[in-house]
Amino acid sequence: MAKIKLNNVRLSFPSLFRKAEFQGNAGKYEATFLLNKKTHADTIAEIEKQIEQGVKDNFKGKKIPADKLCMKDGDEFDYDGYAGHMSFKASNNKRPLVIDKDKTPVTEDDERVYAGCYVNAVVELWYQDNQFGRRVNANLLGVQFYKDGEAFGDGVTASEDDFDAFDDDGSDDDGSDLV
């Protein structure tokens, strides 16, 4: 397994402080990192080379479908900020190290690391070949805040005006039942 350092990459879908949930089931700590196809071309090429060598070594060169790789073409996703990037997803059962520029620990309450900021990350490729199939995955080992970026999503939340007041019997102010 080879450690890879991703420098100055955009963070997407971070679950760094609590395990991600999927359909009510706790999953893993995870994050997706966006590597710009132009500015990160050397890093992308190195990752592709390591994946290719790992497939050769672990799967005797058998082709692995693109949807079974931890790195995918961001142009194939309809997500904000993915166009022109490669998407690299990593996860771990253990909580990854999350630190600031000066290497001090970052907590969830700090709101320092968020979807859209730029980070440095340390990941490790691993190769799966079991009853669930062949895949090239990545362990998420650590994340370091690098710089602020425009947050993904609009950040809009509900306000009190979006709700009606209602009584304990489930009727709102005008006496009609709430749906």
Side-chain angles (χ1 to χ4, degrees):
M1 291 192 259
K3 281 187 183 179
I4 299 169
K5 187 169 180 196
L6 307 174
N7 291 311
N8 190 16
V9 294
R10 197 139 183 229
L11 181 63
S12 181
F13 296 109
S15 292
L16 302 172
F17 303 102
R18 283 184 268 155
K19 290 183 177 184
E21 288 190 28
F22 182 71
Q23 298 178 341
N25 298 317
K28 296 180 176 187
Y29 297 98
E30 60 185 33
T32 300
F33 306 101
L34 302 178
L35 291 80
N36 183 290
K37 289 180 181 178
K38 292 179 183 169
T39 60
H40 292 104
D42 291 343
T43 303
I44 292 166
E46 180 59 33
I47 293 168
E48 288 173 337
K49 181 178 156 188
Q50 287 188 33
I51 289 173
E52 185 179 317
Q53 185 62 49
V55 167
K56 183 178 175 184
D57 294 346
N58 292 279
F59 308 132
K60 296 178 179 48
K62 293 180 180 163
K63 184 148 173 64
I64 305 298
D67 67 330
K68 304 294 184 196
L69 301 175
C70 57
M71 189 166 70
K72 298 175 175 50
D73 189 340
D75 292 332
E76 296 177 11
F77 293 90
D78 192 23
Y79 295 139
D80 186 26
Y82 278 53
H85 292 78
M86 294 300 286
S87 157
F88 188 100
K89 184 174 181 176
S91 64
N92 203 326
N93 285 318
K94 294 190 327 186
R95 188 178 157 318
L97 175 71
V98 183
I99 59 175
D100 210 334
K101 291 178 182 181
D102 62 1
K103 297 187 180 183
T104 58
V106 172
T107 68
E108 184 174 18
D109 291 339
D110 295 332
E111 297 181 5
R112 183 78 164 145
V113 178
Y114 55 91
C117 76
Y118 291 83
V119 298
N120 297 327
V122 177
V123 297
E124 184 177 59
L125 294 175
W126 65 278
Y127 302 87
Q128 171 185 317
D129 189 5
N130 57 24
Q131 71 270 24
F132 302 109
R134 288 189 182 103
R135 300 181 64 95
V136 178
N137 300 306
N139 280 328
L140 174 58
L141 303 177
V143 174
Q144 179 184 34
F145 176 82
Y146 183 76
K147 68 179 181 179
D148 286 310
E150 187 176 331
F152 287 131
D154 56 16
V156 174
T157 60
S159 75
E160 292 84 6
D161 296 336
D162 292 326
F163 296 94
D164 297 319
F166 61 92
D167 298 326
D168 288 339
D169 66 1
S171 298
D172 66 11
D173 288 340
D174 67 5
S176 62
D177 287 334
L178 297 173
V179 181

